[in-house]
Amino acid sequence: MSAYGLLVAGASEPDDPARLLAEVFRVPVADVDVAEADAEDDGAGRNWSASVLCEYRRLRGDVRLALDVYVQDAVPAPPGLPEAAARLARYAGATVLYAVGQVDHDAVEPDGAVTWVRVVEPDDADEPWRVTASQAPVDGLPGTPVEPLPERLRAVLLDTPATDTFRAQVDPDGTLPAGSAANRARESLMLWERLIRRMSADWPPDGTYRRDLYAEDLRARDALDAVELPGPELDLLTRQLAALDKEFNDLTIGGEAPGVASPAEYRRARRPRKPPHGFLDA
């Protein structure tokens, strides 16, 4: 059995959820059982053998309906969660959310556009649900603050071959203590390399980045200037940094020439040649 957690946002809840779920999962309407989660009956009238079972809760605030959907294994080719959300959004004409982390959700609009959003579930069932930020404007969530979400930007997959090479030497079996100098160096090197990969790829996935995250990446690079490691490890780190620093210089403009300002001041004085959206105005 497959499980799906779906939230419907907007001014009103959709009509006839059984029909919508029948369309989403490509089954007859008669083979969908829908019931309110907080109903007082004992479930005696439900069709527990239905191909699609759904319990729903009516909510307040930015999210109006929560659907917990369970699909029997006999249903042929059931969609994954993102596709199920996209189908429901299209058929219901509403914005549909699904969780991708503890508070992060993807918001799917009826036209298929997907945007990251941050959802805050209230502690009290009588309190409203809130969508407190979105990566881009969402038609079904008017008035939601638009800002790059740091937790999702940090989660973007980026290749880090320099960091991988360094880790293979200093921690080949994955047992390095978290607080060791070598592990701290690896973490700082990873942030620095990821920044450079972001710049070189025009700020994936959508051309945005945050100034506070950029500043954190620069601080990670500063920390590498003071790291103390055994000779072979330090030599490898130095070589990796030389290559990465050259890429940083090629991808940025401005600032005093190296040697005139301190290395940290030099890096802070420079700006990306192709800044992310809103970066220079932030």
Side-chain angles (χ1 to χ4, degrees):
M1 180 176 288
S2 303
Y4 302 77
L6 300 166
L7 302 172
V8 181
S12 61
E13 65 183 65
D15 296 329
D16 197 356
R19 177 187 59 79
L20 293 173
L21 292 174
E23 293 184 275
V24 169
F25 294 102
R26 310 289 197 256
V27 299
V29 175
D31 208 14
V32 178
D33 179 85
V34 176
E36 188 168 3
D38 299 327
E40 295 182 358
D41 62 60
D42 60 2
R46 298 195 60 182
N47 177 14
W48 295 107
S49 63
S51 294
V52 177
L53 297 163
C54 173
E55 291 189 346
Y56 68 88
R57 290 176 292 141
R58 292 185 173 90
L59 307 174
R60 298 176 55 220
D62 297 325
V63 181
R64 303 308 299 267
L65 199 66
L67 303 174
D68 292 320
V69 183
Y70 304 91
V71 178
Q72 305 282 5
D73 293 337
V75 173
L81 180 58
E83 176 59 23
R87 291 181 186 179
L88 181 59
R90 181 166 68 250
Y91 299 142
T95 298
V96 174
L97 318 178
Y98 61 91
V100 291
Q102 190 170 11
V103 296
D104 296 338
H105 288 64
D106 278 347
V108 188
E109 299 190 72
D111 65 358
V114 181
T115 302
W116 303 342
V117 297
R118 184 185 297 126
V119 177
V120 177
E121 179 179 355
D123 294 328
D124 190 321
D126 293 329
E127 295 296 318
W129 287 56
R130 295 297 181 210
V131 179
T132 59
S134 65
Q135 185 82 3
V138 178
D139 290 341
L141 295 166
T144 300
V146 176
E147 60 184 63
L149 302 183
E151 57 271 31
R152 297 298 295 276
L153 289 170
R154 284 296 192 214
V156 172
L157 295 177
L158 297 163
D159 291 332
T160 54
T163 304
D164 294 343
T165 299
F166 181 76
R167 180 175 53 233
Q169 176 162 324
V170 303
D171 190 21
D173 54 4
T175 60
L176 198 65
S180 66
N183 193 61
R184 293 197 303 272
R186 179 195 61 78
E187 291 174 347
S188 294
L189 181 64
M190 180 181 66
L191 286 178
W192 182 235
E193 184 172 12
R194 282 170 62 88
L195 173 64
I196 291 163
R197 301 299 171 229
R198 291 180 205 278
M199 284 195 285
S200 64
D202 290 336
W203 311 97
D206 60 359
T208 63
Y209 203 52
R210 291 173 56 118
R211 289 187 70 94
D212 58 336
L213 297 183
Y214 186 88
E216 182 181 342
D217 298 335
L218 291 176
R219 290 194 297 271
R221 177 60 185 86
D222 296 344
L224 291 168
D225 284 335
V227 69
E228 296 182 0
L229 294 172
E233 296 175 0
L234 184 59
D235 289 343
L236 174 59
L237 177 63
T238 300
R239 293 196 301 274
Q240 304 291 43
L241 284 177
L244 291 174
D245 289 351
K246 182 181 184 304
E247 288 189 67
F248 175 78
N249 293 340
D250 292 341
L251 292 165
T252 57
I253 57 175
E256 296 284 349
V260 176
S262 72
E265 291 172 337
Y266 169 74
R267 290 189 288 266
R268 279 163 178 73
R270 295 182 69 78
R271 293 292 180 268
R273 290 183 181 275
K274 296 180 178 180
H277 300 318
F279 183 80
L280 297 181
D281 299 327

